[in-house]
């Protein structure tokens, strides 16, 4: 079984509570939802991660290297 790693071109974290803090330079990506009594007005604070992978590289691997069935994973640490 071969392993092909495709690395992202760009990434960013976006924050619902602080839109001006949206980042794309930091090496840390955050995904969370904060809820509870500490929040103003009880509105959840959500952060999401956006990741852009090179479409041409994905297409190349699928067309030229993969045969039969395959399995994919996205590992975030």
């Amino acid at each position: 079984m071969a392993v092909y790693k495709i690395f992202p071109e760009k990434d960013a974290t976006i924050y619902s509570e602080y839109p001006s803090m949206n980042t794309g330079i930091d090496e840390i990506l955050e995904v969370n939802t904060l809820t509870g009594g500490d929040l103003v007005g009880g509105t959840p604070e959500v952060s999401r991660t956006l990741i852009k992978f090179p479409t041409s590289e994905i297409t190349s691997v699928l067309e030229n290297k993969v045969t039969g069935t395959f399995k994919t994973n996205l590992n975030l640490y």
Side-chain angles (χ1 to χ4, degrees):
M1 178 173 111
V3 175
Y4 299 100
K5 295 182 180 182
I6 301 174
F7 296 95
E9 293 177 337
K10 298 179 183 180
D11 57 53
T13 300
I14 56 174
Y15 302 93
S16 64
E17 187 68 20
Y18 305 102
S20 63
M21 285 181 51
N22 295 339
T23 64
I25 298 171
D26 195 349
E27 67 273 1
I28 298 171
L29 298 173
E30 292 185 60
V31 177
N32 65 42
T33 301
L34 300 176
T35 59
D38 295 338
L39 300 175
V40 177
T43 304
E45 295 177 9
V46 178
S47 67
R48 294 181 175 93
T49 296
L50 305 173
I51 305 172
K52 179 182 179 187
F53 289 92
T55 306
S56 60
E57 193 173 345
I58 294 170
T59 303
S60 175
V61 169
L62 291 174
E63 290 177 350
N64 302 313
K65 310 245 187 243
V66 175
T67 58
T69 61
F70 63 93
K71 178 178 156 183
T72 61
N73 294 301
L74 174 63
N75 297 320
L76 302 173
Y77 300 96

